[in-house]
Amino acid sequence: MDDAPNLRDFSDRLREEASEEPSLEVPQGEPKSKTQIIAIYGKGGIGKSFTLANLSHMMAEQGKRVLLIGCDPKSDTTSLLFGGKACPTIIETSTRKKLAGEEVAIGDVCFKRGGVFAMELGGPEVGRGCGGRGIIHGFELLEKLGFHDWDFDYVLLDFLGDVVCGGFGLPIARDMAQKVILVASNDLQSLYVANNVCSAVEYFRKLGGNVGVAGLVVNKDDHSGEAQAFAKVAGIPVLASIPQDDDLRKKSANYQIVGTAASEWGSLFAALGDAVAVAPPVRPTPVDQDGLLALFDGSETGAGVTLEPATDADMRGKYYAPKPSLEVVYDDA
C-alpha cells in the first residue's frame, strides 16, 4: 500500500486553501467612460444565460458593441449564444498555453456571433480548485489582454448568485461593474438568491462602494406575482417579464436565439435592452427571511409552524439514559 495517496495531506491542503482570504486585488484600469459594465446575478438554472445570450444578441442587432463574459463554471452562457457549441474557456486555455510556454491571444478565447463578442472564464475541474479563485485569475488575464482599452458600449457579466465567496462577489466588492441586474422567478429559492445579492450590494455601499441594482428580470413568469412583490419591497424596478411559455422553453433547449427582430419574441428583448441601457443603479432594500416568506401564500411556506427545540433524549434515542444529577438539594429549614 506504499503507493496509496496520502488523503490526510490532501485534506490539509484543501483546508489551508479554503481558509485563505483571496486578496481580490485584481489590477484595474479606468474603462472608457461610455462603457457600461453590468453584472447579472441569479440562482443557478433560473435563466441568466438564456436572458443574457438573447439580450446581448438583440443589443448587437440594435447597433451596440457588446462583450458577453460568462463567469459561471457551467459555461452555459456562450454555449447558448453559439448554438450549443462550447468555446475554450480562459482558464483551460491559460493552463494549456502556460504548459506549452506560450502566451494567450485574443483569438484563443474570444469568439463572435451576430455582432456579439463572447468569452467564458470557466472554472477548475471538480474537486480540484476554488471557482471563486478561478474568477479572479480570469480577470487578471483579461487585464493583461487589455480589457480596459477595449471599445465596447456594454460588457455583460454572467455570475452565479448562489455562491457568495469573494471571487463571485468581485464586481460588487471592487466596483468592477456600475450596476447589477437580477434574474429570478416566482419561487422562494430564486428570490432568496436575489435578496442575498441585494444584501451584498447594500453591504458594500455602506463601505463606500458605488454599485447599485438596476432592476429585476422575471423569467418564466406565471403571473402569480411574487417576484413583482419582491421588487416592490426591495425598491427596485422590474425591467422585463419573460413569460413561462412552451415555445420559449423548446427554443432555449435547442440553443435557438430568440433575441432578434426576426423572432416573435424580438420586441420583448428589444424593450429589455432599452430598459437596461437607461436604468440607474439604485440602493436596494433587502428583506429578512420572514419578509420573503410573507410574499407567498402561507399554505405554501412556513407560516404557522412553531420551532420545537430538540432535547438530548431526542438525539440519543435508544441510547439515552438519565444522568445522575450532581446538584445538592437541601431540606427546607
Side-chain angles (χ1 to χ4, degrees), residues 21-156:
E21 286 291 335
S23 68
L24 301 184
E25 295 300 330
V26 177
Q28 295 185 58
E30 289 296 324
K32 295 182 181 298
S33 59
K34 69 169 189 173
T35 304
Q36 282 199 48
I37 303 179
I38 305 173
I40 288 81
Y41 282 89
K43 176 181 177 294
I46 204 61
K48 300 185 310 303
S49 298
F50 165 79
T51 302
L52 271 182
N54 287 289
L55 173 62
S56 61
H57 192 277
M58 176 53 75
M59 283 180 152
E61 202 170 273
Q62 292 173 328
K64 307 297 184 184
R65 284 179 55 81
V66 182
L67 172 62
L68 174 61
I69 303 179
C71 309
D72 187 323
K74 297 192 302 295
S75 298
D76 47 0
T77 308
T78 52
S79 293
L80 202 156
L81 180 66
F82 296 130
K85 186 174 181 62
C87 65
T89 70
I90 290 175
I91 292 176
E92 69 178 89
T93 302
S94 173
T95 302
R96 175 168 49 82
K97 288 282 187 175
K98 184 176 181 180
L99 291 174
E102 301 172 357
E103 295 291 329
V104 177
I106 294 292
D108 295 324
V109 294
C110 190
F111 305 89
K112 301 179 289 183
R113 182 190 178 189
V116 181
F117 295 79
M119 58 180 69
E120 282 282 356
L121 291 187
E125 293 184 51
V126 176
R128 298 191 182 183
C130 170
R133 292 178 186 278
I135 297 295
I136 295 172
H137 170 71
F139 276 106
E140 288 175 342
L141 182 56
L142 288 181
E143 175 70 19
K144 293 177 183 177
L145 290 173
F147 177 73
H148 294 291
D149 296 322
W150 296 345
D151 179 24
F152 289 101
D153 297 305
Y154 297 92
V155 176
L156 305 178

Side-chain angles (χ1 to χ4, degrees), residues 185-187 191 222 224-231 295-297 300:
S185 189
N186 294 308
D187 68 273
L191 292 178
D222 60 2
S224 56
E226 289 87 358
Q228 285 84 354
F230 167 76
L295 301 175
F296 295 82
D297 183 344
E300 300 176 358

